[in-house]
Amino acid sequence: MTDVLGWPPKATGSGALGADSRTLRDRWRTASLAAGWRFPSDWALPEVDTVCAAVVGGTPPELALAGLGRARAAAGAGLAETLADLAALHAVLAQPECAEGLVVPNVDATPSNLLRVTAIAWADVALDQLAKAEVTDPLTSLPTAAYLRTRLAEVYREAARRGEPASLDHMLLVVTMDFSLLAGWPRLTGMILVSDAVRQVFDGGESVAALGPSTVAVLLRRDGGIAQRGVLLRRELHERLSVDAQLHQAGDPRIRVLRLPATHDGACELLTSLGRA
């Protein structure tokens, strides 16, 4: 593995991430963001830590990279972006003397076997999503963005029949967490707690969906109770997230109320950008 990745493996002595793994993770993230990773908050996944632990522990990385490829596809990252991220890892490992992670990733220089493993795993999930069009997020049990796009299509058709803009009667409430500083499973726990709070507050027939690894959206009608429910939602989120020190360090969730775009296509583009924010 040392010859392939250019990083001398060091034993950490336990399954938990050690100092070497954390250093590698930080340098990898810096290199990936510098190379053009578009949405910093969705880079850190538990599978990233698995890859770092495999590399530092001297384990062949193929299995861990396959898991990361699948996770990237499930989170909405494109293939080009996923492979560029892999190239950032390879560049960091190949140039350990660049302590600040200021390296130049090159996909063409990345070992072909690692590119192949990652790309095949990414494609498996991407094609499966196209074939099955799942509408439930397995982590939170919330409907996915695919479901919300369908609901929005219904809202826009109804508005067109009335000759009015969809934004006249409906809006989006979006909750976003910044889990970028959390490593491993705490970010998954945080997403479960956020989803539970949103579901409890918006339990009157609103359309709630998980848009990405750190974003939940609610399609709701305009009424006089939005401000009150927003306050209630913030209180529920604070109560749930404050029980865990790591989640509390992630900061307060960002709650926004957004106007619907003029067209359904515009609304779908908005959901995509929100899911990667």
Side-chain angles (χ1 to χ4, degrees):
M1 186 195 69
T2 306
D3 292 338
V4 173
L5 290 178
W7 180 273
K10 302 176 183 179
T12 59
S14 69
L17 286 182
D20 291 332
S21 287
R22 287 193 293 270
T23 299
L24 173 57
R25 181 181 186 272
D26 291 344
R27 293 187 61 218
W28 180 7
R29 182 177 187 272
T30 298
S32 189
L33 297 185
W37 186 269
R38 291 178 296 167
F39 300 94
S41 65
D42 76 350
W43 181 86
L45 298 174
E47 291 78 6
V48 167
D49 298 328
T50 303
V51 172
C52 291
V55 171
V56 173
T59 303
E62 285 82 358
L63 184 61
L65 288 174
L68 180 61
R70 287 189 289 270
R72 291 293 190 214
L79 180 58
E81 192 172 18
T82 299
L83 296 184
D85 180 55
L86 174 61
L89 171 63
H90 177 259
V92 164
L93 295 174
Q95 302 176 54
E97 69 280 1
C98 297
E100 299 300 322
L102 300 178
V103 296
V104 180
N106 182 359
V107 173
D108 293 333
T110 306
S112 59
N113 63 313
L114 302 186
L115 289 172
R116 181 175 62 254
V117 166
T118 305
I120 290 174
W122 182 93
D124 283 344
V125 172
L127 292 175
D128 189 58
Q129 288 177 335
L130 288 175
K132 295 183 177 179
E134 294 286 351
V135 295
T136 302
D137 175 61
L139 175 65
T140 63
S141 297
L142 289 178
T144 64
Y147 164 80
L148 194 53
R149 285 194 292 268
T150 301
R151 279 289 297 119
L152 282 167
E154 296 170 348
V155 167
Y156 277 87
R157 286 198 298 270
E158 180 183 0
R161 186 181 304 118
R162 297 195 310 265
E164 300 173 342
S167 59
L168 186 65
D169 288 334
H170 289 81
M171 64 177 61
L172 281 174
L173 182 142
V174 182
V175 182
T176 305
M177 287 292 298
D178 184 3
F179 292 133
S180 60
L181 298 180
L182 297 183
W185 301 109
R187 66 177 292 136
L188 300 186
T189 303
M191 191 60 177
I192 292 172
L193 294 175
V194 168
S195 300
D196 182 64
V198 173
R199 192 161 27 208
Q200 178 167 324
V201 173
F202 296 97
D203 61 351
E206 300 88 355
S207 298
V208 183
L211 299 187
S214 59
T215 305
V216 174
V218 185
L219 175 64
L220 66 165
R221 289 186 177 275
R222 291 181 177 272
D223 59 39
I226 294 177
Q228 180 180 0
R229 283 190 288 175
V231 172
L232 178 59
L233 175 60
R234 189 169 293 280
R235 183 185 309 137
E236 293 288 338
L237 289 168
H238 176 75
E239 289 181 358
R240 286 165 170 77
L241 297 173
S242 62
V243 299
D244 185 283
Q246 291 190 63
L247 293 176
H248 186 63
Q249 291 174 1
D252 295 329
R254 183 184 183 189
I255 302 176
R256 292 171 288 169
V257 176
L258 303 179
R259 181 185 178 89
L260 289 180
T263 66
H264 178 247
D265 287 343
C268 291
E269 292 177 3
L270 175 62
L271 294 187
T272 299
S273 64
L274 290 171
R276 299 292 311 282

